[in-house]
Short mmCIF file of all heavy atoms in Angstrom, two decimals:
data_model
loop_
_atom_site.label_atom_id
_atom_site.label_comp_id
_atom_site.label_asym_id
_atom_site.label_seq_id
_atom_site.Cartn_x
_atom_site.Cartn_y
_atom_site.Cartn_z
N ASN A 617 -4.35 19.00 -29.85
CA ASN A 617 -5.04 20.08 -29.13
C ASN A 617 -4.09 21.07 -28.47
O ASN A 617 -4.51 21.86 -27.63
CB ASN A 617 -5.99 19.54 -28.07
CG ASN A 617 -7.30 19.08 -28.66
OD1 ASN A 617 -7.61 19.37 -29.81
ND2 ASN A 617 -8.10 18.37 -27.88
N HIS A 618 -2.80 21.05 -28.85
CA HIS A 618 -1.84 22.01 -28.27
C HIS A 618 -2.09 23.39 -28.88
O HIS A 618 -2.33 23.51 -30.10
CB HIS A 618 -0.41 21.56 -28.55
CG HIS A 618 0.62 22.26 -27.73
ND1 HIS A 618 1.04 23.55 -27.99
CD2 HIS A 618 1.30 21.86 -26.62
CE1 HIS A 618 1.96 23.91 -27.10
NE2 HIS A 618 2.13 22.89 -26.25
N PRO A 619 -2.07 24.44 -28.07
CA PRO A 619 -2.40 25.78 -28.60
C PRO A 619 -1.38 26.34 -29.57
O PRO A 619 -1.71 27.21 -30.39
CB PRO A 619 -2.49 26.64 -27.33
CG PRO A 619 -1.70 25.91 -26.30
CD PRO A 619 -1.84 24.46 -26.61
N THR A 620 -0.12 25.91 -29.50
CA THR A 620 0.91 26.52 -30.36
C THR A 620 1.66 25.52 -31.23
O THR A 620 2.19 25.88 -32.26
CB THR A 620 1.95 27.28 -29.49
OG1 THR A 620 2.54 26.37 -28.55
CG2 THR A 620 1.28 28.42 -28.74
N LYS A 621 1.74 24.25 -30.82
CA LYS A 621 2.50 23.26 -31.59
C LYS A 621 1.55 22.37 -32.38
O LYS A 621 0.51 21.97 -31.89
CB LYS A 621 3.36 22.42 -30.66
CG LYS A 621 4.45 23.21 -29.95
CD LYS A 621 5.37 22.31 -29.14
CE LYS A 621 6.45 23.12 -28.45
NZ LYS A 621 7.37 22.26 -27.66
N ALA A 622 1.97 22.08 -33.61
CA ALA A 622 1.12 21.29 -34.50
C ALA A 622 1.28 19.80 -34.21
O ALA A 622 2.39 19.31 -33.97
CB ALA A 622 1.48 21.58 -35.95
N CYS A 623 0.17 19.09 -34.25
CA CYS A 623 0.18 17.63 -34.07
C CYS A 623 0.41 16.97 -35.43
O CYS A 623 -0.19 17.36 -36.43
CB CYS A 623 -1.15 17.17 -33.47
SG CYS A 623 -1.34 15.38 -33.38
N VAL A 624 1.29 15.97 -35.48
CA VAL A 624 1.61 15.29 -36.73
C VAL A 624 0.89 13.95 -36.85
O VAL A 624 1.12 13.20 -37.80
CB VAL A 624 3.14 15.07 -36.84
CG1 VAL A 624 3.87 16.40 -36.86
CG2 VAL A 624 3.65 14.19 -35.70
N CYS A 625 0.00 13.65 -35.91
CA CYS A 625 -0.71 12.37 -35.91
C CYS A 625 -2.00 12.48 -36.72
O CYS A 625 -2.65 13.53 -36.76
CB CYS A 625 -1.05 11.95 -34.48
SG CYS A 625 0.37 11.87 -33.37
N THR A 626 -2.35 11.39 -37.36
CA THR A 626 -3.63 11.32 -38.07
C THR A 626 -4.74 11.08 -37.05
O THR A 626 -4.49 10.58 -35.95
CB THR A 626 -3.62 10.19 -39.10
OG1 THR A 626 -3.51 8.93 -38.41
CG2 THR A 626 -2.46 10.35 -40.07
N PRO A 627 -6.01 11.40 -37.41
CA PRO A 627 -7.12 11.11 -36.49
C PRO A 627 -7.18 9.64 -36.10
O PRO A 627 -7.52 9.32 -34.94
CB PRO A 627 -8.35 11.54 -37.31
CG PRO A 627 -7.84 12.59 -38.23
CD PRO A 627 -6.45 12.18 -38.58
N ALA A 628 -6.85 8.75 -37.02
CA ALA A 628 -6.87 7.32 -36.69
C ALA A 628 -5.81 6.98 -35.65
O ALA A 628 -6.04 6.18 -34.74
CB ALA A 628 -6.67 6.50 -37.96
N GLN A 629 -4.63 7.60 -35.76
CA GLN A 629 -3.56 7.36 -34.78
C GLN A 629 -3.95 7.88 -33.40
O GLN A 629 -3.68 7.24 -32.38
CB GLN A 629 -2.26 8.02 -35.25
CG GLN A 629 -1.60 7.33 -36.41
CD GLN A 629 -0.36 8.07 -36.89
OE1 GLN A 629 -0.36 9.31 -36.98
NE2 GLN A 629 0.70 7.34 -37.19
N VAL A 630 -4.60 9.04 -33.39
CA VAL A 630 -5.04 9.61 -32.11
C VAL A 630 -6.05 8.69 -31.45
O VAL A 630 -5.94 8.37 -30.25
CB VAL A 630 -5.64 11.01 -32.32
CG1 VAL A 630 -6.24 11.53 -31.01
CG2 VAL A 630 -4.59 11.98 -32.84
N GLN A 631 -7.03 8.24 -32.25
CA GLN A 631 -8.07 7.38 -31.69
C GLN A 631 -7.50 6.04 -31.23
O GLN A 631 -7.88 5.51 -30.19
CB GLN A 631 -9.17 7.16 -32.72
CG GLN A 631 -10.46 6.61 -32.14
CD GLN A 631 -11.06 7.55 -31.09
OE1 GLN A 631 -11.17 8.75 -31.33
NE2 GLN A 631 -11.41 7.02 -29.93
N ARG A 632 -6.56 5.49 -32.00
CA ARG A 632 -5.94 4.22 -31.63
C ARG A 632 -5.13 4.36 -30.33
O ARG A 632 -5.13 3.46 -29.49
CB ARG A 632 -5.05 3.74 -32.77
CG ARG A 632 -4.53 2.32 -32.57
CD ARG A 632 -4.05 1.71 -33.89
NE ARG A 632 -3.12 2.58 -34.61
CZ ARG A 632 -3.39 3.16 -35.79
NH1 ARG A 632 -4.58 2.98 -36.36
NH2 ARG A 632 -2.50 3.93 -36.38
N TYR A 633 -4.49 5.50 -30.18
CA TYR A 633 -3.72 5.75 -28.95
C TYR A 633 -4.65 5.84 -27.74
O TYR A 633 -4.38 5.26 -26.69
CB TYR A 633 -2.93 7.05 -29.12
CG TYR A 633 -1.94 7.35 -28.01
CD1 TYR A 633 -0.73 6.68 -27.93
CD2 TYR A 633 -2.24 8.29 -27.03
CE1 TYR A 633 0.18 6.95 -26.92
CE2 TYR A 633 -1.33 8.57 -26.01
CZ TYR A 633 -0.13 7.90 -25.97
OH TYR A 633 0.77 8.16 -24.96
N LEU A 634 -5.76 6.55 -27.88
CA LEU A 634 -6.71 6.69 -26.78
C LEU A 634 -7.38 5.35 -26.46
O LEU A 634 -7.73 5.08 -25.30
CB LEU A 634 -7.78 7.73 -27.13
CG LEU A 634 -7.29 9.17 -27.29
CD1 LEU A 634 -8.43 10.06 -27.77
CD2 LEU A 634 -6.72 9.70 -25.99
N ASN A 635 -7.56 4.51 -27.46
CA ASN A 635 -8.22 3.22 -27.25
C ASN A 635 -7.35 2.23 -26.47
O ASN A 635 -7.83 1.15 -26.12
CB ASN A 635 -8.63 2.61 -28.59
CG ASN A 635 -9.82 3.31 -29.20
OD1 ASN A 635 -10.55 4.03 -28.51
ND2 ASN A 635 -10.02 3.14 -30.51
N LYS A 636 -6.10 2.58 -26.21
CA LYS A 636 -5.27 1.72 -25.36
C LYS A 636 -5.80 1.67 -23.93
O LYS A 636 -5.50 0.75 -23.18
CB LYS A 636 -3.82 2.22 -25.35
CG LYS A 636 -3.10 2.02 -26.67
CD LYS A 636 -1.64 2.46 -26.56
CE LYS A 636 -0.89 2.22 -27.86
NZ LYS A 636 0.55 2.61 -27.74
N ILE A 637 -6.58 2.69 -23.57
CA ILE A 637 -7.23 2.70 -22.25
C ILE A 637 -8.64 2.15 -22.43
O ILE A 637 -9.47 2.79 -23.08
CB ILE A 637 -7.28 4.13 -21.65
CG1 ILE A 637 -5.92 4.81 -21.81
CG2 ILE A 637 -7.71 4.07 -20.20
CD1 ILE A 637 -4.78 4.07 -21.15
N SER A 638 -8.90 0.99 -21.88
CA SER A 638 -10.19 0.34 -22.10
C SER A 638 -11.32 1.08 -21.39
O SER A 638 -11.11 1.77 -20.38
CB SER A 638 -10.13 -1.11 -21.62
OG SER A 638 -10.08 -1.16 -20.20
N GLY A 639 -12.53 0.89 -21.91
CA GLY A 639 -13.71 1.49 -21.31
C GLY A 639 -13.93 1.06 -19.87
O GLY A 639 -14.19 1.90 -18.99
N PRO A 640 -13.82 -0.26 -19.54
CA PRO A 640 -14.01 -0.68 -18.14
C PRO A 640 -13.02 -0.06 -17.16
O PRO A 640 -13.37 0.22 -16.02
CB PRO A 640 -13.82 -2.21 -18.22
CG PRO A 640 -14.20 -2.57 -19.61
CD PRO A 640 -13.74 -1.41 -20.45
N LEU A 641 -11.77 0.19 -17.61
CA LEU A 641 -10.81 0.84 -16.72
C LEU A 641 -11.16 2.32 -16.57
O LEU A 641 -11.15 2.87 -15.46
CB LEU A 641 -9.39 0.69 -17.26
CG LEU A 641 -8.29 1.38 -16.44
CD1 LEU A 641 -8.25 0.83 -15.01
CD2 LEU A 641 -6.92 1.22 -17.11
N LEU A 642 -11.49 2.96 -17.68
CA LEU A 642 -11.86 4.37 -17.63
C LEU A 642 -13.12 4.57 -16.79
O LEU A 642 -13.32 5.62 -16.18
CB LEU A 642 -12.08 4.89 -19.05
CG LEU A 642 -11.97 6.40 -19.27
CD1 LEU A 642 -10.59 6.90 -18.89
CD2 LEU A 642 -12.28 6.74 -20.72
N ASP A 643 -13.96 3.54 -16.74
CA ASP A 643 -15.19 3.59 -15.96
C ASP A 643 -14.91 3.74 -14.48
O ASP A 643 -15.77 4.19 -13.72
CB ASP A 643 -15.98 2.30 -16.23
CG ASP A 643 -17.33 2.31 -15.53
OD1 ASP A 643 -17.90 3.40 -15.40
OD2 ASP A 643 -17.80 1.24 -15.11
N ARG A 644 -13.72 3.35 -14.04
CA ARG A 644 -13.36 3.41 -12.62
C ARG A 644 -12.62 4.69 -12.25
O ARG A 644 -12.10 4.81 -11.15
CB ARG A 644 -12.54 2.18 -12.25
CG ARG A 644 -13.38 0.91 -12.22
CD ARG A 644 -12.53 -0.35 -12.39
NE ARG A 644 -13.34 -1.55 -12.20
CZ ARG A 644 -14.13 -2.09 -13.13
NH1 ARG A 644 -14.26 -1.51 -14.31
NH2 ARG A 644 -14.82 -3.20 -12.87
N ILE A 645 -12.54 5.62 -13.20
CA ILE A 645 -11.85 6.90 -12.97
C ILE A 645 -12.89 8.00 -12.97
O ILE A 645 -13.56 8.24 -13.98
CB ILE A 645 -10.76 7.14 -14.03
CG1 ILE A 645 -9.72 6.01 -13.97
CG2 ILE A 645 -10.10 8.49 -13.81
CD1 ILE A 645 -8.64 6.12 -15.02
N ASP A 646 -13.03 8.69 -11.85
CA ASP A 646 -14.11 9.66 -11.68
C ASP A 646 -13.84 11.01 -12.35
O ASP A 646 -14.74 11.65 -12.86
CB ASP A 646 -14.37 9.90 -10.19
CG ASP A 646 -14.88 8.65 -9.49
OD1 ASP A 646 -15.32 7.73 -10.20
OD2 ASP A 646 -14.83 8.60 -8.25
N LEU A 647 -12.57 11.46 -12.30
CA LEU A 647 -12.24 12.78 -12.84
C LEU A 647 -11.28 12.64 -14.01
O LEU A 647 -10.23 11.99 -13.89
CB LEU A 647 -11.60 13.66 -11.77
CG LEU A 647 -12.53 14.27 -10.70
CD1 LEU A 647 -12.80 13.26 -9.60
CD2 LEU A 647 -11.92 15.52 -10.09
N GLN A 648 -11.65 13.25 -15.13
CA GLN A 648 -10.81 13.24 -16.33
C GLN A 648 -10.47 14.69 -16.67
O GLN A 648 -11.35 15.47 -17.03
CB GLN A 648 -11.56 12.57 -17.48
CG GLN A 648 -12.02 11.15 -17.14
CD GLN A 648 -13.10 10.66 -18.08
OE1 GLN A 648 -13.52 11.35 -18.99
NE2 GLN A 648 -13.58 9.44 -17.85
N ILE A 649 -9.20 15.04 -16.53
CA ILE A 649 -8.78 16.43 -16.61
C ILE A 649 -7.92 16.65 -17.84
O ILE A 649 -6.94 15.95 -18.05
CB ILE A 649 -7.98 16.84 -15.36
CG1 ILE A 649 -8.68 16.37 -14.08
CG2 ILE A 649 -7.76 18.34 -15.34
CD1 ILE A 649 -10.07 16.89 -13.93
N GLU A 650 -8.28 17.63 -18.64
CA GLU A 650 -7.46 18.03 -19.78
C GLU A 650 -6.58 19.20 -19.36
O GLU A 650 -7.06 20.19 -18.81
CB GLU A 650 -8.34 18.42 -20.98
CG GLU A 650 -7.56 18.62 -22.25
CD GLU A 650 -8.46 18.81 -23.46
OE1 GLU A 650 -9.70 18.83 -23.27
OE2 GLU A 650 -7.93 18.94 -24.57
#
Side-chain angles (χ1 to χ4, degrees):
N617 280 347
H618 195 283
T620 59
K621 296 185 179 181
C623 173
V624 298
C625 305
T626 65
Q629 287 177 318
V630 174
Q631 196 60 47
R632 189 161 51 247
Y633 188 77
L634 295 174
N635 286 342
K636 290 184 178 182
I637 314 302
S638 70
L641 178 60
L642 202 60
D643 184 33
R644 288 158 173 80
I645 300 177
D646 295 344
L647 284 82
Q648 304 163 0
I649 313 302
E650 190 172 2

